[in-house]
Amino acid sequence: MQQSISSITSPRLYLDNAATEKLLPVVQDAMIAAMQEDLGNAAALHAEGCCARSYIEDARAKVARLIHAQPSEIIFTSGGTESNNTIMETFRSQPVALSSIEHPSILESAKARASQVDFLPVDSLGRVDPKLIAYKKYSLISVMLANNELGTIEPLEEIAASCHAQADHITFLHTDATQAISKIKVDVQALDVDYLSFSAHKIGGPLGVGVLYVRQGVPFRPLLLGGHQECGRRAGTSNTIGIIGLGAAADWCWQEWSCKQWSKVALLRDELCERILNEVPYSSCNSSMQNCLPNILNVSFQGAEGESIQLYLDAEGIAVGTGSACAAGDLQPSHVIMATQHDAEVAHSSIRFSLPLDTKKSDIDRVMSVLPQIVKKLQGMSTIKLGAKHGN
Ligand code: PMP
């Protein structure tokens, strides 16, 4: 039976924006308007098909403009996972290097396809050191632009400069910009990347549609075969309504995107962090406050399981994340926190706040009105000796 959020508890406070963002009203309007038209299969030659195609090409132009690419360099996919798998299919049987905190859709698809997978270490805040990469050994380097659990922004420009400076060897560079897009400026030319992935549902667009940017002239091998859609680069009937929603979200981000708006969110994120560290005993912060997306805060609470905190907060009407939503139900400690803190206890006791653009100061007050008691209760039930070394 379907369950409506408003019927559960109201009002809810949604602080799990990095898992999926609410659909923007402009996106909803654009999709509903398109659904009311009798659009055909975009591959067909008749008027209904041509009309669907014109919508898709309009969306492609808007997405290209958002990331400073050519429309012909944009391939529509079913989301970040497919875009990332497509890159690893392109580099099948070749040696690749990945940051050790990539999303599982990069890690697992590389392990399944590449001839060799090396993991680039990160520091305690999740940053890759561009100087430590042995570029010549690899056909592809894949480093995410910003991490989904910590919010850490990677030094992509520096990695690209070293990657593309080699005279005698070509190493291509891919970045997963799924979390970065719309939170910070993403310009494929300034970043100098060869491939870039992202997903519509992280920028206020619909679920089930994404983007793969492929720089003109670089190697490419499709993942899905059996149709000429997307110029033979991605077979399957185009998800016209989803792509229209993605185009509307990209247009909104282009028109409305403002560092200023997100910098206000960053101040609230910083305030939340400070208050947690001051008001919740045995708490530690896993995110950096510099080189970090403006809306992500990852914190650990010694002696309290992240999942338990999440459930107690949920009962209070507050939605937060634990690591990545894709890993929910996975009992393994987060590979991201393990790579940065090297401590399973810190990883198991972490939660992620990811704030939406309309976060208010009263939302931070609301979290702080319940969080200290929840953590205290869980710590009281724990067998862990509080105060022993924990986190950074
Ligand atoms: N990469 C990152 C960094 C992500 O956060 C996610 C979503 N959790 C994905 C890829 C997968 O995107 P999608 O949900 O569109 O498959």
Side-chain angles (χ1 to χ4, degrees), residues 18 79-81 84 103 105 144 146 148 176 178-179 199 201-202 326:
T81 300
N84 288 342
H103 188 265
S105 57
M144 64 205 327
N148 45 309
D176 177 353
T178 304
Q179 291 294 338
S199 188
H201 73 103
K202 311 283 186 178
C326 321

Side-chain angles (χ1 to χ4, degrees), residues 120-306:
L120 306 170
V122 292
D123 65 17
S124 64
L125 298 171
R127 299 255 295 177
V128 168
D129 184 346
K131 292 195 277 308
L132 298 182
I133 307 176
Y135 296 91
K136 271 195 185 56
K137 282 172 65 183
Y138 308 108
S139 302
L140 179 79
I141 305 272
S142 185
V143 175
M144 64 205 327
L145 188 48
N147 181 265
N148 45 309
E149 293 188 36
L150 299 171
T152 307
I153 300 171
E154 298 293 343
L156 247 291
E157 276 112 330
E158 283 171 63
I159 295 173
S162 315
C163 195
H164 293 145
Q166 306 165 84
D168 53 344
H169 182 86
I170 302 179
T171 305
F172 294 97
L173 178 62
H174 167 256
T175 192
D176 177 353
T178 304
Q179 291 294 338
I181 195 111
S182 90
K183 310 299 174 300
I184 57 172
K185 199 163 171 39
V186 176
D187 178 324
V188 289
Q189 315 230 356
L191 289 172
D192 195 22
V193 290
D194 302 299
Y195 308 92
L196 179 142
S197 312
F198 72 91
S199 188
H201 73 103
K202 311 283 186 178
I203 62 166
L207 291 152
V209 56
V211 171
L212 178 58
Y213 157 80
V214 179
R215 190 208 288 262
Q216 198 174 351
V218 299
F220 182 77
R221 190 202 324 238
L223 176 69
L224 299 185
L225 305 173
H228 299 290
Q229 293 87 354
E230 297 296 301
C231 298
R233 296 175 299 181
R234 197 272 182 182
T237 304
S238 302
N239 171 5
T240 308
I241 302 294
I243 292 171
I244 290 170
L246 163 59
D251 192 40
W252 188 90
C253 291
W254 168 259
Q255 313 267 0
E256 306 289 329
W257 186 81
S258 141
C259 265
K260 245 184 163 173
Q261 293 183 52
W262 279 110
S263 58
K264 280 190 204 147
V265 177
L267 291 178
L268 292 169
R269 186 267 324 263
D270 293 354
E271 182 186 331
L272 178 61
C273 180
E274 206 181 304
R275 287 193 61 185
I276 288 174
L277 296 180
N278 285 334
E279 296 174 34
V280 187
Y282 308 107
S283 56
S284 60
C285 178
N286 302 315
S287 295
S288 161
M289 294 296 107
Q290 281 91 41
N291 295 317
C292 186
L293 293 180
N295 65 329
I296 293 189
L297 174 66
N298 192 307
V299 273
S300 289
F301 303 93
Q302 196 180 13
E305 287 281 325

Side-chain angles (χ1 to χ4, degrees), residues 11-31:
R12 298 281 303 171
L13 174 56
Y14 184 73
L15 302 179
D16 198 17
N17 202 68
T20 195
E21 280 195 21
K22 287 194 177 143
L23 209 62
L24 287 163
V26 284
V27 171
Q28 198 171 334
D29 292 348
M31 290 174 75

